[in-house]
Amino acid sequence: MRFGYNERCLEHDTGERHPENPDRLRAIRRGLAKRHGVEYAEADPATREEVVAVHDAEYVDELESFVADGGGSWDPDTVASEGTWNAALASAGLSQWAARSALDGADGRDTPFALGRPPGHHAVPDDAMGFCFFNNASVAAQTVLDDGAADRVAIFDWDVHHGNGTQDVFYDRDDVLYASIHEEGLYPDTGALDETGRDEGEETTVNLPLAAGAGDADYLYAIDEAIAPALERFDPDLLIVSAGFDAHRHDPISRMRVSSEGYALMTDQLRSVTDDIGAATAYVLEGGYGLDTLAEGVSMVHETFDGRTPVDSDEDPDEKTESLVAELRELLDL
Ligand SMILES: [Zn+2]
């Protein structure tokens, strides 16, 4: 894969014991250093105007002056430092790079993956929250729509948390589909099954809140039976994968049980969906807080695009997953 990377993303300093810290990117790069076929690309930061296309100008101004004053705790979870403004623009810029280069034809071994931080999917139009300042995936989607490079963009979010921010940005829009599989009851406690969009955006939001303990078989079943048909019906020009790795069985902050191989299997499954519908693919980093499992998860996505065939699991999904998927299919007429 081609990994978008920018040193400025290390300058977002969240303090000593914060789970979302620069060591995450260092661990990913160390993991990738052992792999074949890894390439890095640089990208320009997003501009203020491009960020304001999905965020309120007042919020963006407020954040800029908060950071200029030295930063601090925006809320109990979300900490800014002097480097946060530049890091957040750089992180959004990397996701724009990923979306643009995918639509320019980068695929297969050249599939782009934006390795930015701070992450984005909790950032709502008028606020930072949940370690996120600018909604990177949303900025990227809006940018390629504004460029005229795409008419429809789908965002699939496999981070263990619901991407409330991404959902909010596009909730009433019919040109962006947002689909998420997340752990029920976890922060920020949004993303119920019946949140399916509003007005023109009706049925372009897809939420599958799986019960704690779900693993590879549940995720693969959910993608096969709910996410893939939703993507096929929407027929996007571009799929952005909001790729967090905190549903890993050894991640410290969730109770999900996805394995490293599970991330390879999901990558492979999504690739066959996008191949079928002729959509470009870009990956954008979200969460993932176990340094080893985060590095391994990213490496598994890479290896899958580099030609490694993942080993399928023989497990069956839980009955709870099957009935939830059936309910969603009925609700969305999939
Ligand atoms: Zn997360």
Side-chain angles (χ1 to χ4, degrees), residues 121-122 131 157 159-162 186-187 244-247 253 286-289:
H121 72 156
H122 296 306
F131 316 163
D157 186 335
D159 187 282
V160 80
H161 303 96
H162 179 241
L186 217 57
Y187 180 91
F245 295 87
D246 41 9
I253 70 171
E286 299 286 357
Y289 304 101

Side-chain angles (χ1 to χ4, degrees), residues 9-324:
C9 291
L10 300 175
E11 292 165 20
H12 167 53
D13 180 0
T14 49
E16 289 249 318
R17 280 181 298 277
H18 199 287
E20 202 296 287
N21 60 63
D23 285 343
R24 297 178 61 236
L25 295 184
R26 296 187 184 109
I28 291 170
R29 281 173 60 97
R30 267 199 310 276
L32 290 174
K34 301 173 204 148
R35 314 281 169 164
H36 162 268
V38 173
E39 282 182 49
Y40 283 100
E42 280 189 47
D44 291 332
T47 64
R48 190 183 178 285
E49 293 67 40
E50 288 161 340
V51 169
V52 167
V54 302
H55 288 287
D56 295 356
E58 298 76 40
Y59 158 62
V60 175
D61 290 343
E62 201 187 333
L63 178 65
E64 188 174 18
S65 41
F66 185 77
V67 169
D69 290 344
S73 291
W74 182 272
D75 68 28
D77 296 328
T78 312
V79 180
S81 69
E82 284 174 345
T84 298
W85 175 257
N86 283 338
L89 288 175
S91 189
L94 291 170
S95 56
Q96 291 176 299
W97 161 82
R100 281 175 163 150
S101 52
L103 284 163
D104 278 345
D107 61 1
R109 287 185 160 83
D110 294 329
T111 301
F113 194 144
L115 292 180
R117 63 177 287 278
H121 72 156
H122 296 306
V124 291
D126 66 351
D127 208 354
M129 61 183 278
F131 316 163
C132 303
F133 293 90
F134 297 148
N135 197 304
N136 305 315
S138 296
V139 171
Q142 189 62 52
T143 296
V144 295
L145 291 167
D146 290 343
D147 284 351
D151 293 325
R152 282 184 308 287
V153 178
I155 300 170
F156 171 52
D157 186 335
W158 77 32
D159 187 282
V160 80
H161 303 96
H162 179 241
N164 60 301
T166 316
Q167 170 168 307
D168 281 9
V169 171
F170 300 115
Y171 203 58
D172 57 3
R173 295 260 298 267
D174 64 0
D175 53 352
V176 179
L177 177 131
Y178 175 71
S180 173
I181 301 178
H182 46 275
E183 180 180 325
E184 188 193 18
L186 217 57
Y187 180 91
D189 209 15
T190 50
L193 194 84
D194 62 0
E195 294 170 22
T196 57
R198 184 177 52 221
D199 303 331
E200 282 171 27
E202 192 54 58
E203 296 192 349
T204 63
T205 297
V206 181
N207 280 307
L208 203 57
L210 294 183
D216 297 353
D218 300 282
Y219 274 76
L220 295 170
Y221 178 81
I223 293 173
D224 237 1
E225 297 290 322
I227 306 300
L231 290 173
E232 281 156 14
R233 181 168 74 185
F234 187 70
D235 192 21
D237 303 302
L238 170 69
L239 172 67
I240 296 174
V241 182
S242 263
F245 295 87
D246 41 9
H248 194 284
R249 57 184 59 176
H250 298 309
D251 187 278
I253 70 171
S254 88
R255 293 168 296 168
M256 292 312 221
R257 300 195 42 78
V258 176
S259 70
S260 298
E261 196 67 26
Y263 287 107
L265 289 163
M266 289 198 280
T267 301
D268 194 37
Q269 200 180 20
L270 289 174
R271 183 173 53 181
S272 66
V273 176
T274 51
D275 282 354
D276 280 352
I277 60 181
T281 303
Y283 279 74
V284 173
L285 183 67
E286 299 286 357
Y289 304 101
L291 294 182
D292 292 342
T293 53
L294 171 63
E296 217 170 272
V298 173
S299 287
M300 292 314 271
V301 174
H302 163 72
E303 296 243 309
T304 307
F305 280 104
D306 198 53
R308 175 184 174 277
T309 305
V311 182
D312 211 342
S313 84
D314 299 328
E315 288 165 38
D316 290 322
D318 195 276
E319 279 172 25
K320 282 180 288 188
T321 301
E322 289 179 338
S323 66
L324 208 63

